[in-house]
Amino acid sequence: MPYDWRSLWLKVVPPILGFAFLIGIWAIVAIKTGSSFPSPLETLKQAIEVFSDPFYQKGPNDQGIGWNVLSSLKRVGMGFGMAALVGIPLGFMIGRFTFLSRMFNPLISLLRPVSPLAWLPIGLMVFKGANPAAIWTIFICSIWPMIINTAVGVQRVPSDYMNVARVLNLSEWKIVTKILFPAVLPYTLTGVRLAVGTAWLVIVAAEMLTGGVGIGFWVWDEWNNLNVKNIIVAIFTIGGVGLLLEFALIRLATAFTFEEVKV
């Protein structure tokens, strides 16, 4: 059977052209602005220098980019984990019981559109610390996709499934574990993917305001030092980590739903 070169061409060439287009625009901007904006080559040299020792430590506010990324991921993991523990069961209950759906839907509609950074002052006032405030902001902003997608998944379970459960006189626990959970899992995993993306976006902005160690603080610190090359390196690092998180969750969703998951 001949190798499918057309499929390889369509998978490889378009991304390469996309990156080439980005670098071309970037190079034009660098030329037009003179020395004020670094060129792709200058930024590449700076990235090699930054990542040659990403885990150095010269004090609490002078650490390598690796430590900053790990600190941000730790906050994201804590806030996102708590959001999953609360949001997924709450989504099940909202989707399962009409009374709870009518009770919580107006609250979700009211609070979900609020800007993530609007929650940060509340966290600072309640928790009296920058780190728990950042984790709180991630929690409150990443919980909504999991609640909404899980609830929608429960509500879209075919009525025939529930009718069979009534005929068999299944307990509520068996209905949840044997019927609802397998049917709702694709919706829940979609909510998890959306929530992780939101959490990673929020932590960068929150760290810019709260300070400390983290990739967001690192960007702000480099701006104060007028080091634009490091800022661009940080932008690509943030995007790369977000891409890896997205890819990992796509693999997870594909493994558990037995169907192709598209970006």
Side-chain angles (χ1 to χ4, degrees):
M1 184 177 179
Y3 187 79
D4 189 1
W5 290 103
R6 176 178 172 80
S7 177
L8 179 64
W9 172 272
L10 293 176
K11 288 180 180 179
V12 174
V13 174
I16 292 176
L17 290 177
F19 279 108
F21 177 77
L22 173 63
I23 293 173
I25 296 296
W26 181 0
I28 292 172
V29 172
I31 292 172
K32 293 292 184 180
T33 56
S35 60
S36 61
F37 195 82
S39 68
L41 183 59
E42 292 172 336
T43 306
L44 177 61
K45 292 179 180 178
Q46 182 67 18
I48 294 173
E49 180 179 340
V50 167
F51 284 101
S52 63
D53 188 12
F55 293 103
Y56 76 85
Q57 284 186 312
K58 297 180 180 178
N61 294 325
D62 187 8
Q63 301 186 27
I65 191 172
W67 292 119
N68 287 284
V69 170
L70 290 178
S71 296
S72 297
L73 286 173
K74 181 180 178 181
R75 295 188 183 101
V76 168
M78 293 176 67
F80 172 79
M82 291 188 293
L85 289 175
V86 175
I88 293 175
L90 184 58
F92 265 98
M93 291 189 290
I94 291 174
R96 181 79 178 92
F97 302 106
T98 304
F99 179 84
L100 292 179
S101 177
R102 293 176 179 175
M103 175 180 173
F104 283 102
N105 279 343
L107 296 177
I108 294 172
S109 298
L110 174 67
L111 299 177
R112 184 173 62 87
V114 176
S115 172
L117 295 184
W119 294 106
L120 187 60
I122 303 298
L124 290 170
M125 181 180 67
V126 173
F127 299 107
K128 311 298 183 183
N131 191 57
I135 294 172
W136 148 258
T137 306
I138 294 168
F139 167 82
I140 197 66
C141 294
S142 59
I143 195 172
W144 309 122
M146 288 186 278
I147 292 177
I148 294 171
N149 279 273
T150 302
V152 168
V154 173
Q155 292 167 352
R156 291 186 177 180
V157 172
S159 57
D160 291 344
Y161 293 3
M162 305 308 296
N163 292 335
V164 171
R166 294 189 189 97
V167 170
L168 296 176
N169 198 24
L170 297 180
S171 65
E172 187 65 29
W173 175 250
K174 285 194 173 183
I175 290 175
V176 171
T177 57
K178 301 296 184 181
I179 296 177
L180 293 182
F181 183 75
V184 174
L185 187 58
Y187 293 90
T188 300
L189 290 175
T190 299
V192 167
R193 286 175 56 203
L194 295 174
V196 166
T198 300
W200 188 239
L201 288 172
V202 169
I203 190 57
V204 173
E207 287 173 346
M208 285 184 176
L209 298 179
T210 58
V213 179
I215 190 63
F217 170 73
W218 195 74
V219 170
W220 191 249
D221 191 48
E222 294 303 321
W223 167 248
N224 291 329
N225 295 329
L226 298 179
N227 194 337
V228 181
K229 287 184 284 189
N230 274 359
I231 294 175
I232 298 176
V233 171
I235 289 172
F236 280 99
T237 302
I238 293 167
V241 173
L243 187 64
L244 289 175
L245 291 173
E246 175 77 4
F247 178 76
L249 288 171
I250 288 175
R251 298 286 296 181
L252 179 67
T254 304
F256 280 95
T257 57
F258 302 103
E259 61 183 16
E260 182 181 0
V261 180
K262 298 181 179 179
V263 178

